[in-house]
Amino acid sequence: MAKNTICLWYDKDAEAAARFYAEVFPDSRVTAVHRAPGDYPSGKEGDVLTVEFTVAGVACLGLNGGPMFKHSEAFSFQIATDDQEETDRYWNAIVNNGGEESACGWCKDKWGISWQITPRILMEALAAGGGEAKRAFEAMMDMRKIDVAAIEAARRG
């Protein structure tokens, strides 16, 4: 187990979520599934209790803790993409699997986890500062999924 692991609380679908992430994102995998050794408030002995997995190189633990706590946009995975094809692939995988779109490159998967699908060109434009950053930022503010061509055009003015 990694020294620092992100723990994500799920109602009961930690394994399904982890397997979905492992299918969608490179450098992602499910490494272990642990079953409850006894009954607990949200489950029974033998139910999946925790799932160890990696999302794009980040160590995670999914905990099937029950419905008491919900995810919020205060936590998100940010996935850097190289082009529109990669942006579309991740965005569509999340949204078309029961997720929902949000603004400025954010979407949410069907388990309530927020994702920022962020083309590198957008981050580069914002880091450039000045008018280039302002134009790219203003273009982004009107988007749901990021349109790489529109960001490139905004950078050029």
Side-chain angles (χ1 to χ4, degrees):
M1 183 177 224
K3 187 167 188 77
N4 185 11
T5 301
I6 294 171
C7 182
L8 299 168
W9 183 293
Y10 293 86
D11 181 359
K12 61 183 180 306
D13 294 327
E15 185 176 8
R19 294 199 184 284
F20 173 75
Y21 307 148
E23 289 175 16
V24 172
F25 300 102
D27 194 19
S28 301
R29 63 199 162 283
V30 174
T31 53
V33 175
H34 303 284
R35 299 194 175 274
D39 292 351
Y40 60 106
S42 295
K44 302 281 185 212
E45 179 179 341
D47 289 351
V48 173
L49 180 62
T50 61
V51 180
E52 295 175 38
F53 60 101
T54 302
V55 175
V58 176
C60 299
L61 178 77
L63 170 67
N64 283 330
M68 290 79 73
F69 301 109
K70 301 294 180 201
H71 300 288
S72 81
E73 289 77 4
F75 172 87
S76 64
F77 284 102
Q78 184 179 50
I79 304 293
T81 59
D82 293 324
D83 54 30
Q84 192 67 56
E85 180 184 351
E86 187 178 22
T87 301
D88 292 348
R89 184 171 62 250
Y90 298 147
W91 181 274
N92 294 340
I94 291 167
V95 171
N96 294 340
N97 187 47
E100 61 186 68
E101 295 184 353
S102 190
C104 304
W106 288 60
C107 58
K108 191 179 292 186
D109 68 30
K110 73 178 180 181
W111 299 282
I113 300 288
S114 290
W115 296 82
Q116 297 177 60
I117 308 301
T118 309
R120 293 180 197 278
I121 189 117
L122 173 60
M123 299 310 292
E124 292 165 3
L126 297 175
E132 181 178 335
K134 183 172 177 42
R135 290 187 305 273
F137 182 78
E138 289 172 352
M140 176 202 67
M141 293 301 293
D142 291 332
M143 297 177 187
R144 288 189 171 273
K145 176 175 59 177
I146 302 299
D147 180 334
V148 171
I151 296 297
E152 289 171 337
R155 286 185 82 176
R156 291 188 302 270

